[in-house]
Amino acid sequence: MSVNRIVEVSNPAYLKTSNKQLLVEKDDQIVGSIPFEDLHAIILCNPQITVSIAALQLSLEHNVPVIVCNEKHLPTGFLHAPLTNSLHSKLIRFQAEIKAPLRKQLWKKIVATKVEHQAIALKKCEKNDELIEGLRTQVRSGDPDNIEAQAASIYWRELFGSDFRRNPDLEGINSLLNYGYAVLRASTARALAGSGLNTTLGIFHHNQYNHFCLADDLMEMARPIVDLKVFEIIKKQQPKITSRTKKKLLEIINAEVIIAGAKYYLPHALQRCSKSLADCLVDGDIDTFKTIQMS
């Protein structure tokens, strides 16, 4: 199964539709077209972009998230379709009424997987992964010891050097991470919506101003995939956002991962992961929830 495409528009343009295709017009010329059914996400990175209502409507109908970024390439707006699954009203009840023991078990499973993937990422980059690997087995239900933060402190230092600090407001490596995470967040939100889950109701993340708490929960497991891509980029060029580095970061949707013993492209694995989470919330069995595994 092929991976749908992400369209990133960084220059002034007009986005419209014809025959259920997205058309990109610049200086009264059509410079690109793609069927909505082949789209995975649309990223808009210029304040002089105009989008027709028809294009937004078809994006919603095809569950194609539209991300609006500012001058620092941070997402400032996110349009997606939360009602793409007929079981949405049923599942939202299970989400809202999730019991504390299951919530804690889910978070443990997500954190343990994330830490495992951080260790894999360090090993792939020929960095010391022993301390991270040791922390993975210490994650308890609900992560009361905040192993996630302990692992992150070690992980960032090992991966990008002792001077690196993860701060979304900074340029350089942080700007590359911001962009990659925005792509990952869109893909995760799309998968959750397709499974009938409400992205606002998180497992661990809770913020009245964040409409994507559940996406932020689920994408934790896949963040090291973005980190690996950023590490690959900075080995060859300066850590800054350019058309070339953005193109490289979009490659994360072609990453192959494993879920339930089978290999899939990341977007398809996120879909299966989201479906398993929905099933888990219904039957209350933590073993129903299948995590993605880096290959």
Side-chain angles (χ1 to χ4, degrees), residues 68-88:
V68 179
C69 298
N70 62 16
E71 68 280 358
K72 292 185 177 181
H73 307 283
L74 282 168
T76 55
F78 196 172
L79 176 71
H80 84 129
L83 304 176
T84 56
N85 188 295
S86 60
L87 297 177
H88 178 77

Side-chain angles (χ1 to χ4, degrees), residues 13-29:
Y14 175 44
L15 275 60
K16 59 183 183 179
T17 68
S18 178
N19 297 322
K20 294 192 176 182
Q21 292 197 77
L22 176 68
L23 305 181
V24 181
E25 181 181 293
K26 183 178 180 182
D27 298 328
D28 298 323
Q29 298 288 327

Side-chain angles (χ1 to χ4, degrees), residues 259-289:
I259 184 166
K263 185 175 287 188
Y264 297 92
Y265 289 119
L266 180 59
H268 303 141
L270 287 171
Q271 290 169 11
R272 290 180 172 269
C273 182
S274 297
K275 178 61 167 59
S276 75
L277 176 59
D279 293 341
C280 173
L281 294 177
V282 173
D283 65 28
D285 185 353
I286 185 62
D287 292 333
T288 303
F289 176 51

Side-chain angles (χ1 to χ4, degrees), residues 122-135:
L122 289 176
K123 192 169 185 178
K124 285 178 177 287
C125 297
E126 299 182 340
K127 306 287 185 177
N128 184 3
D129 67 315
E130 293 181 2
L131 291 175
I132 291 285
E133 182 60 35
L135 286 172

Side-chain angles (χ1 to χ4, degrees), residues 170-188:
L170 298 180
E171 298 292 334
I173 292 174
N174 278 287
S175 65
L176 296 175
L177 292 170
N178 291 341
Y179 192 87
Y181 292 155
V183 174
L184 176 59
R185 196 187 202 203
S187 190
T188 307

